[in-house]
Amino acid sequence: MPAPLPHGRSSITARSILLGLCGVTLICTLTPYNDYALNNTYLIGNNFPLAVVMLLFLFTLCINGPLSRWWPDRAFTAAEITVAFSMTLVSCALPSSGLMRYFPPSLIVPFKTLQTYKQWMDLYQTFHIPRWLYPTFTGNSPADWMTDPIVTDYTGRWTQSSPIPYAAWITPALSWGIFFAALFTCLICLMVIVRKQWVENERLAFPLAQIYLSLLEPPERGKLLNSTFARPWFWLAFFAVFGLHLWNGFARYHPKIFPEIWNYYHQPQLFSEPPWSYVHYKMMDAAIFFTVVGVSYFMPTSIAFSMWFFFLFRQAQRMWLGSFTGDPEVYGQHDQHFGGLIAYFLAAVWIGRKHWAMVLRQMGAPFGRVKREDVKRDEEGSFAQSAATIPTRHVSRFTFQESYLSYRTAGYLTLISILVMIAWLTAAGASVLASTVSVLLLLFLFIIITKFIAETGLLYGQLQVPIYYPWQLLVRAGFSYPISTQSYYITSFLQCQHYDFREIVPVYASHSLYLADKTLTTDNGPRATDNQRKKLFLMLLALSLVFGYFLSLASTLWTEYHYAWTQDISARLPINDWGVENPNGAIVGSTLQYNRQNFPQPHSSALHLSIGFAVTSALSFLRLRFTAFPLHPIGYLMLDTYPGDHLWFSFFWGWLAKILIVRFTGPRGYLAARPFFIGLIVGESMAAGFWLVTSIAMSTFGIPYRPVNVMPG
């Protein structure tokens, strides 16, 4: 646990804010260049950003450690580090897969596609889309816009004699900024609303936050290392993993001198004959990612077990299907996934029903009465009235149970933000029905994946539910054009920009609030002061998002217009290949398919939705009814997803290590081994940082280099 705050020092200081802004600047400006131009390991890449872990480790070890040892009065407190760290962490939702990897291409690629698909040109010309959605193109028609250098040179180096027209992006930056501001405001307010239920009532594990707390803990006064870094097991794991990636990196340059040390297996020959040939290819080719192994140690055991168990269960199912039908694919899995998410959401609503009712009662305070148990004691330590309810006129005398914002304020800000998003989409050309369903489904998915991460610590979160999925289901059910094609097209923007759930605002914000709960509250001051700090903390998170949004967009545009191919020896073209390809499917292809009302249905959607709902409901019930039940519904919901397929082997080793340690050494052994698994994580982050700096240096001096990626992209 973090050291207590020194008496009399404010937890939010000018230097902590400045440090946070420096972190935001570094992450938001460097990420596009590192990820796309240099083709390095992604600086962010998942819910546990390697770059932030690296920065936190270096700061605690190289700056705060010496300060604590020789100038203890100037050392940063845990609260100050939390402020700076949280500002940096929440900004990680902006420069890559959380937004900018897809946002600018979504405005460019549809026009680039007009050049090659006549069907798309004919359809687009029937739309009435406001110009403020897009960059300021020259000309008055799509035929002019598709040949504008802003479009043609986006996925290649700027070749015009004129300067790069960054000013053309001001209009979409501001217009879309309104939508993003409403979305991020809504998500942060939702995190404030659910915080008490998840942290205090359900006591979710927040495994990633537990690791953050161990890293940001300042050393004791007069010491150089905190309690985690002072353990030999930490450094043993750190140097082992760092040295492994260092060695294997050199092996890419000089394989004869540095033979590769395998941390994976590749044995397709063992699976060449039926029924083994029907398994997923990641059963034949799997790697150990030490960050995932380390995080798995902090997961609830049932979740780590379920992540690899359900993968192996699916392989048995594939072998059975392949043997009897010749086709091992489960075609209704996406429908089962959606049905399961609905069941998971309803279970979460039921578990927290008393908390949600309390929030609604407080939101209704201006129009009714608030129950006595919904209100905290006042500063004098007693309730003003002993009645079962308190009249509205006295509500202002009390402090509500959420210290960041009152539930009434958070609830109304959420509703206002939702209305702003619906109005924005309607002004952009979508119908009110399409706008409402799209916004609510988007928020539904954000809440679900955030609870997943809070409960499991899953590094890579993936949900297989497109924003326009309800309209596809209706078309399959026989309803012709439930919304207009133009409305579907506007909806497809949300699908393109927000389908990737591994770097999102609510996950980072929820973990920031968890850390603030542990470090911003003091025992030597009035609670009102703590609440003021937390409100300021929330404002700083908002400031980081605003500041980071414009920095990220500027850095992304600069990188895209300056580099046609990656700077490593692979010279991949375009640099942001998936970000550029995704709009072709999510926007252009899907809209054309909807216009033709052609969504193939090789299975019964209703049947598979019901199967997913039933299986997830049964698993959720058994988990609630029997505490020792070993299977968790999240393992089932991650079937056939990227984390479920690519990380199962690492989950297995993390689970096995925890089981053996607890079995033979007990709880004390589990606590003693924690630094070792944190060392695995930090060692891998620092290895990624080493090769990042190396590639930047080699690229700067014109030396050909090979990317060394230590985590999946």
Side-chain angles (χ1 to χ4, degrees):
M1 292 295 293
L5 291 171
H7 180 73
R9 177 182 292 181
S10 172
S11 57
I12 300 180
T13 60
R15 66 175 185 171
S16 67
I17 297 174
L18 180 61
L19 184 63
L21 291 176
C22 289
V24 172
T25 302
L26 182 64
I27 291 292
C28 292
T29 55
L30 184 58
T31 295
Y33 175 68
N34 171 80
D35 293 4
Y36 310 134
L38 297 181
N39 196 26
N40 279 323
T41 298
Y42 287 173
L43 277 184
I44 302 167
N46 55 62
N47 298 305
F48 193 68
L50 291 180
V52 179
V53 173
M54 179 177 63
L55 291 174
L56 182 59
F57 170 72
L58 290 175
F59 177 83
T60 305
L61 182 67
C62 302
I63 297 179
N64 211 40
L67 288 176
S68 178
R69 175 67 176 86
W70 290 288
W71 299 280
D73 291 335
R74 299 183 180 181
F76 285 76
T77 65
E80 288 179 302
I81 301 174
T82 296
V83 170
F85 169 79
S86 298
M87 292 176 65
T88 306
L89 181 65
V90 78
S91 72
C92 290
L94 300 169
S96 188
S97 298
L99 185 61
M100 292 301 169
R101 187 181 187 183
Y102 307 108
F103 168 50
S106 71
L107 307 183
I108 292 295
V109 172
F111 293 105
K112 199 175 184 69
T113 310
L114 291 174
Q115 303 173 23
T116 54
Y117 290 98
K118 184 177 184 302
Q119 284 182 321
W120 178 235
M121 171 68 85
D122 295 339
L123 179 61
Y124 189 86
Q125 288 179 330
T126 66
F127 294 158
H128 301 284
I129 309 296
R131 292 285 300 274
W132 47 263
L133 285 181
Y134 305 106
T136 306
F137 301 126
T138 57
N140 299 313
S141 68
D144 299 324
W145 304 338
M146 69 182 185
T147 58
D148 192 301
I150 296 175
V151 173
T152 58
D153 286 5
Y154 180 81
T155 55
R157 183 180 301 168
W158 182 261
T159 58
Q160 311 300 312
S161 58
S162 58
I164 300 174
Y166 294 112
W169 287 87
I170 293 177
T171 296
L174 296 177
S175 61
W176 281 92
I178 295 173
F179 181 86
F180 296 141
L183 175 62
F184 296 158
T185 299
C186 182
L187 292 173
I188 290 179
C189 289
L190 285 173
M191 292 304 99
V192 171
I193 291 172
V194 304
R195 186 205 64 82
K196 180 180 176 64
Q197 173 60 27
W198 290 358
V199 175
E200 299 180 23
N201 298 341
E202 297 184 39
R203 297 186 181 276
L204 299 185
F206 281 87
L208 301 183
Q210 302 301 327
I211 301 170
Y212 290 142
L213 285 171
S214 298
L215 293 177
L216 63 81
E217 176 190 356
E220 293 182 9
R221 187 181 182 90
K223 292 187 176 181
L224 185 65
L225 302 176
N226 66 20
S227 61
T228 298
F229 300 160
R231 298 293 187 270
W233 287 109
F234 171 86
W235 294 106
L236 174 65
F238 174 90
F239 285 115
V241 173
F242 183 84
L244 173 67
H245 287 301
L246 195 67
W247 181 279
N248 285 342
F250 287 131
R252 295 180 60 84
Y253 289 93
H254 304 288
K256 293 183 178 180
I257 302 176
F258 300 94
E260 183 180 12
I261 301 174
W262 289 6
N263 62 331
Y264 63 91
Y265 71 83
H266 178 71
Q267 300 294 334
Q269 66 276 8
L270 297 180
F271 302 88
S272 58
E273 299 293 333
W276 301 103
S277 58
Y278 296 119
V279 300
H280 191 277
Y281 77 95
K282 292 310 293 182
M283 186 72 178
M284 312 174 192
D285 181 3
I288 297 177
F289 299 103
F290 294 99
T291 299
V292 180
V293 174
V295 172
S296 299
Y297 187 78
F298 292 85
M299 285 183 177
T301 306
S302 62
I303 294 174
F305 171 76
S306 298
M307 290 301 298
W308 65 264
F309 171 84
F310 276 104
F311 175 82
L312 296 182
F313 173 81
R314 173 50 53 89
Q315 306 322 304
Q317 185 181 20
R318 289 175 62 92
M319 288 190 290
W320 183 85
L321 286 172
S323 298
F324 286 92
T325 68
D327 187 355
E329 297 298 329
V330 181
Y331 290 102
Q333 179 57 38
H334 285 194
D335 290 325
Q336 291 185 29
H337 183 75
F338 188 28
L341 292 181
I342 295 173
Y344 183 87
F345 179 78
L346 293 178
V349 171
W350 174 256
I351 293 171
R353 60 192 181 280
K354 292 184 179 180
H355 179 75
W356 318 133
M358 182 266 291
V359 172
L360 292 175
R361 285 196 301 269
Q362 290 198 4
M363 287 180 61
F367 313 104
R369 302 165 74 85
V370 179
K371 286 189 176 182
R372 179 172 177 263
E373 60 266 24
D374 293 345
V375 192
K376 276 188 174 178
R377 297 179 183 274
D378 60 18
E379 291 186 5
E380 296 178 357
S382 61
F383 287 108
Q385 297 188 19
S386 60
T389 59
I390 301 170
T392 301
R393 63 182 179 274
H394 294 314
V395 167
S396 61
R397 298 176 56 183
F398 295 88
T399 302
F400 288 130
Q401 293 185 4
E402 183 50 65
S403 54
Y404 294 93
L405 284 176
S406 69
Y407 288 126
R408 180 168 50 177
T409 301
Y412 282 130
L413 281 176
T414 299
L415 291 177
I416 292 171
S417 299
I418 291 174
L419 292 176
V420 169
M421 287 187 283
I422 293 173
W424 191 96
L425 291 173
T426 304
S431 65
V432 175
L433 174 63
S435 302
T436 303
V437 172
S438 299
V439 169
L440 294 181
L441 180 57
L442 182 63
L443 295 178
F444 165 82
L445 296 175
F446 273 128
I447 291 295
I448 289 291
I449 195 64
T450 304
K451 193 170 191 292
F452 275 13
I453 309 307
E455 194 168 0
T456 68
L458 195 63
L459 290 188
Y460 294 83
Q462 184 178 3
L463 299 180
Q464 299 175 326
V465 182
I467 307 299
Y468 39 57
Y469 192 60
W471 315 120
Q472 295 180 355
L473 288 177
L474 289 175
V475 170
R476 290 176 179 174
F479 294 90
S480 180
Y481 293 101
I483 59 174
S484 67
T485 304
Q486 176 171 304
S487 295
Y488 189 95
Y489 170 67
I490 298 299
T491 300
S492 69
F493 275 108
L494 299 186
Q495 170 59 21
C496 177
Q497 296 168 2
H498 300 289
Y499 96 99
D500 198 334
F501 290 95
R502 58 178 167 169
E503 303 171 12
I504 57 174
V505 167
V507 167
Y508 297 141
S510 63
H511 283 71
S512 296
L513 296 182
Y514 186 94
L515 298 177
D517 287 338
K518 302 296 184 181
T519 58
L520 294 190
T521 301
T522 62
D523 296 327
N524 53 10
R527 184 172 297 276
T529 303
D530 291 336
N531 292 347
Q532 290 173 359
R533 292 192 184 109
K534 290 182 177 180
K535 289 178 173 59
L536 178 57
F537 177 79
L538 212 59
M539 294 175 62
L540 291 175
L541 296 186
L543 172 64
S544 299
L545 289 172
V546 173
F547 184 51
Y549 170 74
F550 290 104
L551 277 179
S552 299
L553 179 58
S555 179
T556 299
L557 295 177
W558 183 90
T559 303
E560 291 285 359
Y561 284 121
H562 277 81
Y563 296 95
W565 51 82
T566 58
Q567 301 304 290
D568 62 303
I569 62 171
S570 69
R572 192 180 67 210
L573 176 72
I575 56 174
N576 180 15
D577 50 357
W578 179 239
V580 171
E581 288 298 325
N582 184 46
N584 278 324
I587 298 179
V588 178
S590 183
T591 304
L592 285 172
Q593 200 173 11
Y594 181 81
N595 188 59
R596 294 191 295 264
Q597 297 286 278
N598 178 28
F599 293 104
Q601 186 177 359
H603 60 274
S604 170
S605 293
L607 173 62
H608 285 276
L609 283 167
S610 301
I611 292 174
F613 186 91
V615 171
T616 305
S617 298
L619 292 173
S620 299
F621 172 78
L622 292 171
R623 288 283 303 167
L624 291 173
R625 183 66 179 82
F626 305 103
T627 56
F629 186 71
L631 298 180
H632 197 284
I634 290 179
Y636 170 71
L637 293 173
M638 288 294 105
L639 279 175
D640 295 341
T641 64
Y642 185 90
D645 292 339
H646 287 72
L647 305 181
W648 72 272
F649 196 51
S650 300
F651 285 124
F652 169 77
W653 286 108
W655 168 84
L656 182 62
K658 183 177 181 180
I659 286 292
L660 294 177
I661 290 172
V662 174
R663 172 67 178 82
F664 291 106
T665 65
R668 294 182 64 180
Y670 168 78
L671 294 176
R674 283 165 56 103
F676 177 85
F677 290 90
I678 295 175
L680 296 180
I681 298 168
V682 178
E684 198 151 63
S685 298
M686 292 305 298
F690 173 85
W691 289 112
L692 160 66
V693 173
T694 301
S695 60
I696 291 177
M698 295 178 71
S699 176
T700 301
F701 291 103
I703 304 173
Y705 70 93
R706 301 172 183 269
V708 179
N709 297 312
V710 302
M711 286 289 287

